[in-house]
Amino acid sequence: MSKSGSKNTVRFRICDNFQQFWFRFIERNRPMIELDNYADLLDIVMHDFPTYSGLTLEKYFRQKLVEKGGFRELGSWWERKAGKEANEIDIVGIRADGKSALVAQVKHNARNYDNKLFMEKLEHIKAKILSEFEI
């Protein structure tokens, strides 16, 4: 816990998908529910749900890889580029053999996947941090 008045902040992560949904959409918008304003609440949920479900899907696949085993490190990777969108890769795993890596994009909708863009990101991450690994 950070001291009162300090600039340090503490972040908590909720792992349970139901509770994550509850606190993201329901608890945060409780005043709308109390006013029976379900139509606007539905608009909020429908607008943000693709982002929420995409993050949940990424979490699901990372968990499946953890359960499968064979990794020394597993997570996501991103890098800011000046004046541009960040280079981001959803899943990067360094295998336990120390010689190979897994690089993957997770998309909820196949129409959002751009193979050319992914290959550019793959080449960038290979040059930046994975040059010694077989992908």
Side-chain angles (χ1 to χ4, degrees):
M1 179 89 57
S2 60
K3 293 181 183 177
S4 178
S6 75
K7 293 183 180 181
N8 297 330
T9 58
V10 178
R11 287 187 164 196
F12 295 93
R13 177 175 292 155
I14 298 172
C15 295
D16 180 76
N17 289 334
F18 175 78
Q19 288 183 351
Q20 248 183 0
F21 181 90
W22 179 268
F23 283 104
R24 184 173 185 143
F25 296 110
I26 306 302
E27 183 63 29
R28 178 181 291 167
N29 297 298
R30 188 181 350 185
M32 295 174 85
I33 294 168
E34 292 170 354
L35 294 171
D36 294 330
N37 189 357
Y38 303 114
D40 288 338
L41 176 60
L42 180 60
D43 288 343
I44 290 169
V45 173
M46 296 304 288
H47 179 264
D48 195 34
F49 193 76
T51 300
Y52 169 78
S53 63
L55 295 171
T56 303
L57 190 61
E58 286 178 31
K59 184 175 84 169
Y60 169 81
F61 281 110
R62 273 195 299 275
Q63 182 59 40
K64 285 297 176 189
L65 290 169
V66 166
E67 291 170 6
K68 182 179 176 185
F71 292 94
R72 107 172 25 166
E73 293 180 53
L74 188 63
S76 57
W77 181 81
W78 67 274
E79 170 190 61
R80 279 265 181 242
K81 296 189 304 186
K84 298 181 180 179
E85 283 190 34
N87 268 327
E88 179 185 1
I89 302 210
D90 297 330
I91 298 175
V92 177
I94 306 297
R95 297 199 187 274
D97 64 10
K99 299 176 183 176
S100 59
L102 169 78
V103 178
Q105 283 293 96
V106 177
K107 297 295 179 197
H108 193 258
N109 188 332
R111 288 178 279 154
N112 294 336
Y113 176 73
D114 182 340
N115 191 59
K116 181 182 176 197
L117 179 60
F118 176 67
M119 297 311 284
E120 289 172 6
K121 289 180 180 184
L122 180 61
E123 289 304 316
H124 182 75
I125 195 172
K126 281 170 64 175
K128 199 83 169 168
I129 64 169
L130 296 176
S131 61
E132 300 176 16
F133 296 91
E134 180 183 330
I135 307 296

